[in-house]
Amino acid sequence: MNASKVLAAAALTLLAAAGAHAETYDGVHALTSSASRSEVADQGVVAARAGNAYGDAASAGAQRFTSTASRSAVNAEAVAKSHDPLASLDRRAFYRDQVPSAYSKPKVSFTRQAGL
């Protein structure tokens, strides 16, 4: 029984020694490029201006957008949102994703009326 343990340990040691091998260090490799600095800089400029070749719309070019809303409608919507004190409430910021009743739409108006 003792001999089998010794043989098993020896086998494991041989496997570990065979599996462990270190990498060799070849030193710093010499530069083998034949391009000059200015050529590399020009290639960098071209690559930077080419954009993301792997993007979704990279090959489509500039996309034309035509709005269906009028300028006055967008302006009116922006003014209404800017005057709404509760417009920026996000239900995800509250417990169980529910806005408390204290933050519900107010019964009174926040705008002041001119007294006549």
Side-chain angles (χ1 to χ4, degrees):
M1 178 124 173
N2 199 9
S4 65
K5 288 182 181 179
V6 170
L7 287 174
L12 286 175
T13 305
L14 286 174
L15 285 174
H21 61 303
E23 294 181 17
T24 60
Y25 177 68
D26 297 331
V28 178
H29 295 289
L31 184 63
T32 58
S33 176
S34 62
S36 67
R37 282 182 179 256
S38 61
E39 291 171 345
V40 172
D42 292 339
Q43 291 172 0
V45 169
V46 169
R49 290 186 179 161
N52 184 2
Y54 301 105
D56 292 338
S59 61
Q63 300 291 318
R64 182 173 296 276
F65 175 75
T66 305
S67 177
T68 58
S70 67
R71 182 182 281 272
S72 60
V74 171
N75 189 18
E77 183 180 351
V79 168
K81 278 288 189 185
S82 68
H83 286 94
D84 185 6
L86 305 176
S88 62
L89 285 180
D90 188 1
R91 65 181 185 88
R92 294 174 294 178
F94 295 98
Y95 177 68
R96 293 191 179 167
D97 294 340
Q98 293 178 353
V99 177
S101 60
Y103 291 106
S104 64
K105 294 289 182 188
K107 305 280 190 267
V108 296
S109 173
F110 286 106
T111 58
R112 294 184 181 185
Q113 300 286 326
L116 296 176

